[in-house]
Amino acid sequence: GAGVSQSPSNKVTEKGKDVELRCDPISGHTALYWYRQSLGQGLEFLIYFQGNSAPDKSGLPSDRFSAERTGGSVSTLTIQRTQQEDSAVYLCASSLSGLAGYEQYFGPGTRLTVT
Amino acid sequence: AQSVTQLGSHVSVSEGALVLLRCNYSSSVPPYLFWYVQYPNQGLQLLLKYTSAATLVKGINGFEAEFKKSETSFHLTKPSAHMSDAAEYFCAVRSNTGNQFYFGTGTSLTVIP
């Protein structure tokens, strides 16, 4: 079946511009996560959506970052006024359930380069 | 608080040799533990997971990991390395009291022919 998809796969933007990154989770998965992976670093948690509950935004690094999930499916991560330090691979993952024992399925990521 | 430490950012083994990738965790509550693999230019794939059942967990591609509570470890092993095992490996922990998965910084495995 179809896995998690993300678009675009690569994005180059100028400093100060806004960008939107899209994630299509696996159908039926109620939990959705966004992570940031910088060169040589592990995965940094950004935000978590579970069903219709309020999202856990505790990992967002600044108020320039926001995310929404429409209809419990597609999610968009928006970065406003991009900075060079925002350059990274942004990964989306979905899970059948938000319960702890359920593994995440990852998309291929969006590589963001801020020039 | 929860965290994961992966000792050794780079590990090299000869083809056919034992693979040992180390992961230590800290968690104030019983953890759920995961190993993921990331092949070049691909997304992360689940190798195996520990969810408080058997302490020795078998995963895909011949990998296994043992949960040792006394050592707070969840090391990943494979008896005989194959060239196709060359990849980045990530250990992750999550408790049942929070939403987050905490990932280690990863270990890059190189297999020498």
Side-chain angles (χ1 to χ4, degrees), chain B residues 21 28 41 49 63 79 89 92:
Chain B
L21 305 182
S28 57
N41 300 314
K49 65 178 181 180
F63 284 93
Y89 292 80

Side-chain angles (χ1 to χ4, degrees), chain A residues 13-19 62-65 78-86 114:
Chain A
T13 189
E14 293 180 353
K15 178 182 174 180
K17 301 284 189 182
D18 297 352
V19 295
S62 77
D63 58 9
R64 296 186 296 104
F65 287 73
T78 301
I79 308 174
Q80 296 179 309
R81 305 181 302 283
T82 52
Q83 304 295 312
Q84 288 187 330
E85 59 263 30
D86 299 335
V114 182

Side-chain angles (χ1 to χ4, degrees), chain B:
Chain B
Q2 299 169 69
S3 66
V4 171
T5 302
Q6 290 184 241
L7 294 176
S9 58
H10 292 88
V11 170
S12 293
V13 299
S14 297
E15 190 175 14
L18 171 72
V19 176
L20 171 60
L21 305 182
R22 299 179 186 273
C23 172
N24 288 87
Y25 69 91
S26 72
S27 176
S28 57
V29 295
Y32 294 87
L33 295 156
F34 305 79
W35 274 100
Y36 284 86
V37 60
Q38 186 176 31
Y39 297 104
N41 300 314
Q42 295 186 29
L44 278 76
Q45 302 173 34
L46 180 70
L47 269 180
L48 49 79
K49 65 178 181 180
Y50 167 76
T51 57
S52 75
T55 56
L56 181 63
V57 181
K58 295 187 182 298
I60 62 171
N61 300 336
F63 284 93
E64 61 182 36
E66 185 172 9
F67 171 68
K68 292 187 177 180
K69 183 178 179 180
S70 61
E71 299 178 8
T72 61
S73 69
F74 191 56
H75 301 331
L76 182 70
T77 60
K78 181 174 180 177
S80 176
H82 192 273
M83 296 299 295
S84 61
D85 295 327
E88 189 88 13
Y89 292 80
F90 292 92
C91 182
V93 64
R94 182 183 177 180
S95 77
N96 58 6
T97 59
N99 298 326
Q100 294 189 30
F101 286 75
Y102 294 87
F103 283 80
T105 52
T107 298
S108 177
L109 176 66
T110 299
V111 181
I112 303 167

